[in-house]
Amino acid sequence: MQNKGLIKLFAILFGLVSIYQLSFTWFTHGVEKKAKIFAESKSDDGKEIAKYEQHYLDSVANKPVINIGVAKFSYNDIKDKEINLGLDLKGGINAILQVSVKDILIGLSNDSKNPIFNEALANATKAQKSSDDTFLNLFFKEFEKLSDGKIKLSDPSIFGNKSLREKISFKLTNDEVKPIIAAEVTSSVNTAFEVLRSRIDKFGVTQPNIQRIGKSGRILIELPGAKDIGRVKKLLQSTAKLQFFEVYSNQETANFFYQANNVVENILKEEHKVDTTATSNKDNLKDLLGEVSDSLATKKVENLFSVLTPSVPQSQNQVSSVIATARVEDTAKVNKYLRMKSVRALLPNNMKYIKFLWDYKPFSAKTTNSNEDTQLIYLYGIKSNRQDLAPIEGDVIIDASQEFGQTGKPEVSMTMNAVGTRQWAKMTTENVGKFVAVVLDDFVYTAPSVNTAITNGRTSISGGSMTVEEAQDIANVLKAGKLPAAAHIIQSEIVGPSLGQKAINSSMRSFFLALLLILGWMIFYYGKAGGFADIALIANLLFIFGILTAFGAVLTLPGIAGIILTIGMSVDANVIIFERVKEELRSGKNLKAAINHGFSFKGALSAIVDANITTMLTGIILYVFGTGPVKGFAYTLMVGIITSLFTAVFITRLLVDWYTNKGKKFTFNTNITKKWFTKITVEFLKQRKIAYVISGTLIIISVTSLITTGLNYGVDFVGGRSYVVKFEKPTNPTDVANTLKDVFGSAPEVKTYGESSQLKITTKYKIDQEGNQIDGEVQDLLYKGLQNYIPKDVTLEQFKPGYGGHKTVGILSSIKVEPTIADDIKTAAGWAILGSLLVIFLYILFRFKKWQYSFGAVAALFHDVTIVIGIFSLGYHYLPFDMEIGQSFIAAILTVLGYSINDTVIVFDRIREFTGIHTSWKFSTLIDRALSTTLGRTINTSLTTLVVLLAIFLFGGDSIKGFMFALIVGIVVGTYSSLYIASPIMYDTVKWLEKKKKK
């Protein structure tokens, strides 16, 4: 081998850089362990522990915690350089947001009331649920259909309005307007992306990820380690509609409330009027039963004041912007009563357009009827107008920050631009002695009395009980800007930190067990050569983790599986080389000549390169079509292929050459294994008809099961919400399903997930309905429905995912996928599989120059995929682990394709080699000998890979058992097909073509 010195230098430098990069992860873990010990000494509550941990880490954020002599590093420095753990290992939130193109179009039309425009929007909304086309294209199609040439998009009532007059005139045709609107929509989505990125950057989560998904208006956001999930979702979805309004005082609204109370009482009396006949029958029944009615019993009067307490000032000092107070649970009723036409009719002309808004935050207080604290909330009367436009909007804000006011309480300080400064000065001048309100997303944050005019363009938002975090979030939203349209979460995955830690622990156990088994097997089978392969394998792992850390890649649970599978591939390359060296030694060559040939391109290297390229192509397709954890799996697989190729070929060679140059005996086997697989001659082609019958039967059974039984599609493919819920004790899935049927209207799918005290609950309740509040509603219903199964002291907040590293009861993780994106994921999965088959077909055609080789290989792959899917169809009712068909399953299928083609390419490579050497052999003999001589390598690599997979399957996390099972079945079936399907079909195709030519 040439350039040994350069390879040695590269390997040493690469190793040192990898150790340096990984050291930051070690140091970070040490600091965070101290923070955890400190936090646990202060409290045993999950939420409090998280806060104390953060306080500790904040205190050392910019202080030197590591000193390596030549440099000092703070906690922030080492945190930025540690290996990124994904959502499934660290907890947090992964979401895909859809920026509403419908809302953007409404905004561009200035809220057009044109009936054709609005009907086209409604029809496009319906059509999108069953179409892969974009909302904008669907809208254009619907508009063309409805307008029938009678009205154009450039009409003044639609897009030919004042705000777009510089771009669109009424003379433009629809075809001329469409690209202009498309550009405006793209610009709005870009704005939304920048706003969200700015908010996330200021949120304080380490190593966030945000990226646009094509031109669909979808934005992927990953926040590993985010614990306050409610706060994150609010930050992502808030449109930040900031408005400044004048406010009615409680003195001005008192009379209206008294009148409204009487009207509401009369309406409710009419609605609840009791049927006199029914009452009479009821009284007769009481007489028969001997019941005595209480003449003093009084019925509770229902009116507005039964749910709302008006603020009525008794003196000038009591005049306030708070016009009433209500219990939080009564706000819906109050809203309903105040929206009644007969109630609105009571308003005097100067209050005709009053808008009733609630305070942004409730407060606790004791009511007169109860000694317990009740959650109350203030009501305000906003001076609105016919168009519901505020005198000042949030676009005048140029800067915002969280500060502390004169009383020491947190507040948000805002600076306005020149236009805003003039408007604010005018409003505050006209309202000296009165009240103005700062309204954010239709909630009142503050409504103070104006003592003097504010002319410097600075003001503040301050709530009585505003926390520092709330003030920071408001400042971030205002500073980052306003979303041009609502961002709606259409897919999300939330993992609690306790589940993430459990995944890390189980993954590491399976990782080390698999590693030990393979290291031991290599030494047992190949002796000293196996030891050298083990050293190369450990170097391979060091390089993989070093690269992942250096390039900021995210390590996920499937990613760990990808690394463990890479171990098998690294071993595979060494097995191919060692088996080839042994063949050369048996043919009579001396040791050095055998080693040189084994490591050469004419020897094993050609087969290794071909096998690795086909697997790499599969990984690339998986990376292109996959999302989230699947992408992480593909990335680690591709990195592993490159590093395993380097370590197996170069580092192992360096070690082997170093040992042989000492003149010591070197045999590439042990006394036990030296005769294994040496004299095997199997006539595979004679058995091909039996194999065809077996495979044909399995395929027929699989296809029949797919038609009759189908597959257990996960929410990835059909949409829905899925929750992993932890209980105190083992819980029966059927009982839980029957209980939840009452709250969801139909029974959800409930099954045990890992431990008997963990259930996976999947429901499609309201998955078709839009609205960010639906997610909270479903969690509330789930909490209510499980009341009989969870301790009484577990609150709704404790039940939800997020806080709680020591969570014993509640939601550990949740997944939400809306039907529209589920269809997209399913389509992408189909293209990924078809793309893999096509790429593999073309590569084998390129390498082996005959389409029969490609046909045999792809037929074997189709055979493998069909049987694996068929087994999942047959087994998901009976096997005791999760066998859902989702993105992870597609990753498993593509990995199976890679491994199966790996085996097939090794055989084909040997057939090609024998074709050039043994020209006198019959083609059937040539194929049988090629299969026989590679049989030792095939069995060896399949066994080592299966050992790895079984270790992960038995000792890994619950979430990847189905993934691992698919790989185990795939490796078994793939090994069989490379021997009995790929080569025989290739042979039969060649012979058929020869017969056709002779005829």
Side-chain angles (χ1 to χ4, degrees):
M1 184 174 67
Q2 296 178 344
N3 300 318
K4 285 185 182 180
L6 186 63
I7 292 170
K8 281 182 186 176
L9 179 64
F10 179 78
I12 291 168
L13 290 176
F14 199 2
L16 290 173
V17 169
S18 297
I19 291 169
Y20 172 77
Q21 291 289 346
L22 288 171
S23 67
F24 292 107
T25 302
W26 175 267
F27 292 139
T28 303
H29 178 71
V31 175
E32 289 175 351
K33 190 175 181 181
K34 290 178 182 177
K36 192 170 185 179
I37 293 169
F38 167 78
E40 288 176 346
S41 69
K42 296 287 185 180
S43 175
D44 57 1
D45 176 72
K47 195 167 185 175
E48 289 298 314
I49 287 173
K51 282 188 176 180
Y52 279 119
E53 273 188 73
Q54 194 57 52
H55 286 320
Y56 180 93
L57 296 174
D58 287 343
S59 68
V60 296
N62 297 307
K63 293 180 180 177
V65 290
I66 301 297
N67 186 350
I68 59 172
V70 293
K72 294 179 181 179
F73 299 94
S74 67
Y75 171 72
N76 280 349
D77 295 331
I78 61 174
K79 186 71 178 173
D80 287 339
K81 291 180 172 65
E82 74 163 345
I83 191 166
N84 295 352
L85 294 181
L87 187 74
D88 46 6
L89 295 175
K90 196 175 184 179
I93 182 169
N94 170 313
I96 293 178
L97 283 83
Q98 175 78 62
V99 178
S100 175
V101 176
K102 180 181 177 180
D103 289 350
I104 294 172
L105 292 175
I106 291 171
L108 291 172
S109 73
N110 278 348
D111 199 12
S112 172
K113 299 297 186 288
N114 186 291
I116 292 176
F117 171 78
N118 285 293
E119 190 177 350
L121 286 175
N123 290 352
T125 303
K126 289 178 186 175
Q128 194 177 35
K129 293 179 180 178
S130 57
S131 173
D132 294 332
D133 208 348
T134 65
F135 183 89
L136 186 60
N137 287 338
L138 292 171
F139 164 74
F140 286 149
K141 288 175 186 175
E142 292 295 331
F143 185 85
E144 296 272 8
K145 193 191 304 178
L146 291 167
S147 64
D148 197 23
K150 294 173 185 175
I151 188 169
K152 296 188 296 183
L153 290 167
S154 59
D155 189 89
S157 67
I158 306 177
F159 297 124
N161 52 56
K162 289 181 180 179
S163 58
L164 291 172
R165 65 188 170 193
E166 293 181 5
K167 298 177 182 178
I168 299 174
S169 71
F170 69 91
K171 294 179 181 179
L172 296 183
T173 64
N174 285 348
D175 288 339
E176 290 172 323
V177 171
K178 284 177 184 178
I180 298 171
I181 296 301
E184 290 292 318
V185 168
T186 301
S187 175
S188 294
V189 174
N190 288 339
T191 301
F193 177 77
E194 293 303 326
V195 168
L196 288 169
R197 184 165 64 180
S198 181
R199 291 184 189 180
I200 288 166
D201 287 343
K202 296 177 179 68
F203 187 69
V205 175
T206 55
Q207 300 149 345
N209 176 33
I210 175 170
Q211 53 187 276
R212 282 195 62 181
I213 302 175
K215 296 180 180 179
S216 61
R218 290 173 182 169
I219 298 169
L220 169 68
I221 291 170
E222 295 174 314
L223 300 176
K227 294 178 180 178
D228 193 343
I229 303 301
R231 182 184 170 204
V232 172
K233 292 175 84 171
K234 185 178 177 182
L235 185 71
L236 294 181
Q237 297 177 139
S238 171
T239 55
K241 185 172 72 174
L242 179 68
Q243 299 168 305
F244 297 83
F245 283 103
E246 297 176 2
V247 182
Y248 292 106
S249 70
N250 55 354
Q251 191 174 38
E252 294 171 282
T253 58
N255 189 47
F256 161 73
F257 279 131
Y258 279 112
Q259 293 177 33
N261 183 59
N262 293 329
V263 170
V264 170
E265 186 173 328
N266 290 329
I267 292 172
L268 295 178
K269 278 180 182 177
E270 285 294 319
E271 287 178 356
H272 300 111
K273 190 177 285 183
V274 181
D275 190 317
T276 53
T277 307
T279 307
S280 175
N281 288 339
K282 194 173 180 181
D283 291 339
N284 291 336
L285 183 61
K286 284 184 178 181
D287 290 340
L288 286 170
L289 295 173
E291 292 183 16
V292 179
S293 60
D294 186 355
S295 60
L296 297 177
T298 58
K299 292 181 181 178
K300 184 180 177 182
V301 177
E302 284 193 62
N303 52 31
L304 178 61
F305 289 172
S306 63
V307 290
L308 182 76
T309 304
S311 172
V312 181
Q314 302 300 318
S315 64
Q316 193 61 33
N317 290 336
Q318 293 181 351
V319 175
S320 167
S321 58
V322 176
I323 60 174
T325 310
R327 293 187 305 174
V328 171
E329 58 265 36
D330 290 333
T331 52
K333 270 189 180 180
V334 174
N335 292 339
K336 176 186 172 184
Y337 295 158
L338 294 178
R339 279 198 301 264
M340 290 177 174
K341 287 185 179 179
S342 51
V343 172
R344 297 285 304 184
L346 299 171
L347 291 164
N349 285 333
N350 65 325
M351 294 176 65
K352 189 176 179 181
Y353 298 111
I354 188 172
K355 184 163 68 171
F356 296 104
L357 295 181
W358 297 100
D359 198 274
Y360 83 103
K361 190 177 182 181
F363 63 95
S364 296
K366 288 184 170 61
T367 58
T368 53
N369 300 327
S370 172
N371 288 324
E372 295 181 3
D373 282 346
T374 305
Q375 291 290 97
L376 302 176
I377 194 164
Y378 292 135
L379 182 69
Y380 299 87
I382 304 300
K383 290 185 180 180
S384 189
N385 47 53
R386 184 190 292 273
Q387 294 80 26
D388 192 24
L389 296 175
I392 306 175
E393 296 278 353
D395 53 5
V396 302
I397 304 298
I398 58 173
D399 194 18
S401 61
Q402 180 268 314
E403 295 180 1
F404 292 95
Q406 294 179 350
T407 59
K409 291 183 177 180
E411 64 181 32
V412 180
S413 176
M414 298 178 293
T415 305
M416 298 179 179
N417 61 20
V419 174
T421 300
R422 287 196 302 272
Q423 291 174 337
W424 188 232
K426 183 175 182 291
M427 180 184 277
T428 53
T429 300
E430 291 173 353
N431 285 278
V432 171
K434 298 178 184 178
F435 303 93
V436 293
V438 180
V439 178
L440 182 64
D441 292 335
D442 283 338
F443 287 97
V444 177
Y445 275 74
T446 184
S449 172
V450 179
N451 297 323
T452 57
I454 303 171
T455 58
N456 61 358
R458 288 185 62 86
T459 189
S460 62
I461 300 176
S462 58
S465 56
M466 184 184 289
T467 65
V468 173
E469 279 185 348
E470 286 168 341
Q472 286 173 343
D473 285 349
I474 296 165
N476 290 345
V477 167
L478 296 178
K479 190 174 181 181
K482 174 183 175 182
L483 280 177
H488 172 56
I489 292 178
I490 56 173
Q491 179 184 354
S492 67
E493 182 177 3
I494 299 167
V495 179
S498 55
L499 193 63
Q501 189 58 51
K502 184 180 175 185
I504 292 173
N505 295 340
S506 59
S507 297
M508 294 312 292
R509 281 197 301 270
S510 63
F511 179 84
F512 285 115
L513 176 62
L515 186 61
L516 287 172
L517 287 170
I518 285 183
L519 294 176
W521 173 259
M522 290 299 287
I523 293 172
F524 166 75
Y525 195 86
Y526 291 108
K528 291 184 180 71
F532 295 148
D534 287 348
I535 294 170
L537 180 60
I538 292 168
N540 182 28
L541 290 175
L542 178 65
F543 294 163
I544 291 172
F545 282 107
I547 290 171
L548 292 176
T549 308
F551 287 94
V554 178
L555 183 63
T556 61
L557 205 55
I560 289 177
I563 291 171
I564 297 174
L565 289 173
T566 300
I567 296 172
M569 294 192 66
S570 183
V571 169
D572 187 28
N574 279 133
V575 167
I576 295 169
I577 293 168
F578 293 168
E579 290 297 323
R580 196 53 187 264
V581 171
K582 285 161 70 176
E583 285 177 23
E584 296 303 311
L585 288 171
R586 285 196 294 271
S587 69
K589 286 185 179 179
N590 63 43
L591 182 60
K592 285 194 175 182
I595 291 170
N596 286 333
H597 188 81
F599 280 91
S600 71
F601 197 80
K602 288 183 177 179
L605 193 56
S606 173
I608 292 170
V609 169
D610 282 337
N612 278 273
I613 286 176
T614 51
T615 309
M616 174 67 83
L617 291 172
T618 305
I620 291 169
I621 289 171
L622 190 59
Y623 186 81
V624 170
F625 286 97
T627 57
V630 175
K631 217 181 238 319
F633 170 79
Y635 185 82
T636 52
L637 186 64
M638 290 188 291
V639 169
I641 288 168
I642 296 167
T643 57
S644 65
L645 196 60
F646 174 77
T647 54
V649 174
F650 294 109
I651 292 183
T652 306
R653 178 69 188 274
L654 283 173
L655 294 168
V656 168
D657 283 353
W658 164 77
Y659 194 77
T660 53
N661 288 337
K662 288 188 170 185
K664 294 185 178 181
K665 188 180 177 183
F666 201 32
T667 59
F668 288 88
N669 54 36
T670 62
N671 290 330
I672 300 172
T673 62
K674 64 182 178 181
K675 292 185 179 180
W676 288 13
F677 306 113
T678 55
K679 296 180 180 179
I680 295 176
T681 304
V682 180
E683 293 181 325
F684 288 95
L685 291 181
K686 282 188 177 180
Q687 302 167 9
R688 70 184 188 281
K689 290 182 180 178
I690 298 171
Y692 288 165
V693 171
I694 293 170
S695 294
T697 304
L698 290 173
I699 288 171
I700 289 168
I701 292 170
S702 297
V703 172
T704 304
S705 179
L706 287 168
I707 294 169
T708 56
T709 307
L711 291 163
N712 181 27
Y713 287 112
V715 293
D716 281 2
F717 281 4
V718 294
R721 292 178 178 84
S722 187
Y723 303 90
V724 175
V725 182
K726 175 78 174 172
F727 297 89
E728 271 193 324
K729 55 188 179 182
T731 308
N732 187 293
T734 307
D735 293 343
V736 171
N738 290 332
T739 303
L740 291 175
K741 184 178 180 180
D742 296 333
V743 294
F744 289 133
S746 61
E749 181 186 277
V750 182
K751 52 191 173 187
T752 303
Y753 189 79
E755 302 169 14
S756 56
S757 60
Q758 272 181 197
L759 296 180
K760 188 173 189 179
I761 301 169
T762 304
T763 176
K764 291 186 180 179
Y765 178 77
K766 288 192 176 182
I767 195 62
D768 286 319
Q769 292 189 22
E770 291 187 5
N772 298 322
Q773 73 282 0
I774 301 293
D775 293 340
E777 180 187 333
V778 176
Q779 284 191 4
D780 292 351
L781 289 173
L782 184 64
Y783 172 70
K784 288 175 184 174
L786 295 176
Q787 285 298 295
N788 294 333
Y789 301 93
I790 58 178
K792 301 297 181 188
D793 58 345
V794 174
T795 65
L796 176 60
E797 285 304 311
Q798 291 169 331
F799 178 78
K800 288 180 180 179
Y803 282 111
H806 307 281
K807 195 166 213 175
T808 55
V809 174
I811 299 173
L812 298 180
S813 72
S814 70
I815 299 173
K816 168 198 170 184
V817 182
E818 292 195 355
T820 304
I821 195 168
D823 289 338
D824 294 349
I825 292 169
K826 197 186 295 184
T827 302
W831 281 116
I833 293 174
L834 290 173
S836 293
L837 293 173
L838 178 62
V839 167
I840 287 167
F841 181 91
L842 294 173
Y843 180 76
I844 292 178
L845 181 62
F846 166 74
R847 286 293 289 140
F848 295 95
K849 311 303 180 189
K850 286 186 179 181
W851 66 266
Q852 293 92 333
Y853 283 90
S854 295
F855 182 72
V858 171
L861 296 180
F862 178 79
H863 162 277
D864 300 343
V865 170
T866 305
I867 291 175
V868 172
I869 294 174
I871 288 173
F872 266 65
S873 175
L874 289 164
Y876 77 86
H877 284 299
Y878 311 106
L879 295 176
F881 50 85
D882 196 7
M883 294 182 74
E884 283 186 352
I885 305 298
Q887 291 187 85
S888 294
F889 178 79
I890 299 303
I893 289 292
L894 291 175
T895 308
V896 167
L897 293 183
Y899 262 76
S900 181
I901 200 64
N902 194 315
D903 277 347
T904 303
V905 166
I906 299 297
V907 174
F908 284 177
D909 200 79
R910 186 57 62 90
I911 292 170
R912 180 177 56 185
E913 182 187 344
F914 280 2
T915 304
I917 299 172
H918 306 288
T919 53
S920 61
W921 287 6
K922 288 173 62 178
F923 193 43
S924 58
T925 305
L926 194 142
I927 290 175
D928 283 338
R929 290 298 300 274
L931 287 165
S932 297
T933 54
T934 56
L935 189 62
R937 174 259 158 208
T938 301
I939 292 173
N940 212 340
T941 53
S942 294
L943 281 175
T944 52
T945 306
L946 280 173
V947 163
V948 173
L949 296 176
L950 282 168
I952 310 170
F953 178 74
L954 295 172
F955 304 103
D958 301 320
S959 61
I960 57 170
K961 283 197 183 296
F963 178 73
M964 286 296 111
F965 182 73
L967 289 177
I968 290 167
V969 173
I971 296 302
V972 173
V973 175
T975 303
Y976 159 80
S977 71
S978 65
L979 296 171
Y980 288 100
I981 302 298
S983 297
I985 284 181
M986 182 270 290
Y987 171 79
D988 283 335
T989 312
V990 169
K991 286 300 174 185
W992 172 78
L993 200 63
E994 286 178 358
K995 285 180 183 178
K996 192 176 179 183
K997 284 181 179 179
K998 284 178 183 178
K999 286 181 181 179

